[in-house]
Amino acid sequence: MTEQNPSKMGWYIHRTSKVTRSTCGNDGSQTYHVEYKMTNTLENSQIGALTSYILGSGGQGVEKTLIYAPAGGSISNLKTSGGSVTGSRQETLNGKTVYASIATIAPGESVTYSFDVATSTKAVSSLTIDQTPMGWTDSGVTTDTAVCSINSKKSSL
């Protein structure tokens, strides 16, 4: 994601995600359900005390979000809730399918993206989320892989 409001609103957008493994295929593939949430932690009472340098236009986070599957995998059932999400579209970036949108998040609001991910049959580790660094040490990512263990194929020479 990238901030589209010329500001320092990224300081106030707290991101959390939950990755839940749903299935493990005999062929090594896996499926997951992902919930990715962005919350604008700015309070309306703070707006008068902050400069336009920080707030940009009114303290709203305007987040361009790109979601793409791991190599050889796919994304399905993409849904959003909360806030205002516009410009949702499927694009191609460097030959790969990318889901792009703009989420506008007012102070105290949240936007949640939920979707399913299928991995490649060549996957050898659990799905992770790669995101830009945040202003705190906790990555905000929780993972639940208890439903099954990866059954990756081993190649023999």
Side-chain angles (χ1 to χ4, degrees):
M1 65 157 243
T2 60
E3 180 65 48
Q4 301 297 291
N5 175 4
S7 66
K8 296 297 180 185
M9 282 304 300
W11 295 344
Y12 295 95
I13 304 299
H14 188 228
R15 301 183 309 264
T16 58
S17 54
K18 183 174 183 183
V19 179
T20 305
R21 185 181 292 144
S22 306
T23 65
C24 297
N26 288 333
D27 62 358
S29 65
Q30 306 144 58
T31 60
Y32 294 85
H33 182 72
V34 177
E35 289 186 3
Y36 185 76
K37 183 177 184 178
M38 295 182 283
T39 301
N40 184 339
T41 61
L42 184 67
E43 297 175 10
N44 283 320
S45 61
Q46 295 174 291
I47 291 177
L50 299 173
T51 67
S52 61
Y53 169 75
I54 294 172
L55 297 174
S57 49
Q60 295 188 82
V62 183
E63 313 302 320
K64 182 174 188 176
T65 306
L66 301 175
I67 300 172
Y68 41 103
S74 62
I75 291 176
S76 61
N77 303 320
L78 179 61
K79 298 178 180 123
T80 62
S81 61
S84 171
V85 178
T86 59
S88 295
R89 63 202 177 281
Q90 184 175 323
E91 296 182 354
T92 302
L93 178 65
N94 297 327
K96 308 292 181 194
T97 299
V98 175
Y99 297 88
S101 64
I102 303 287
T104 303
I105 313 166
E109 270 189 344
S110 295
V111 168
T112 301
Y113 290 83
S114 63
F115 51 95
D116 297 319
V117 177
T119 69
S120 162
T121 58
K122 296 176 183 177
V124 294
S125 62
S126 298
L127 183 71
T128 60
I129 292 181
D130 186 16
Q131 61 183 358
T132 56
M134 299 183 286
W136 45 87
T137 57
D138 177 12
S139 70
V141 178
T142 59
T143 305
D144 178 357
T145 59
V147 73
C148 58
S149 296
I150 298 172
N151 185 16
S152 61
K153 289 182 177 179
K154 303 289 184 204
S155 62
S156 58
L157 297 174

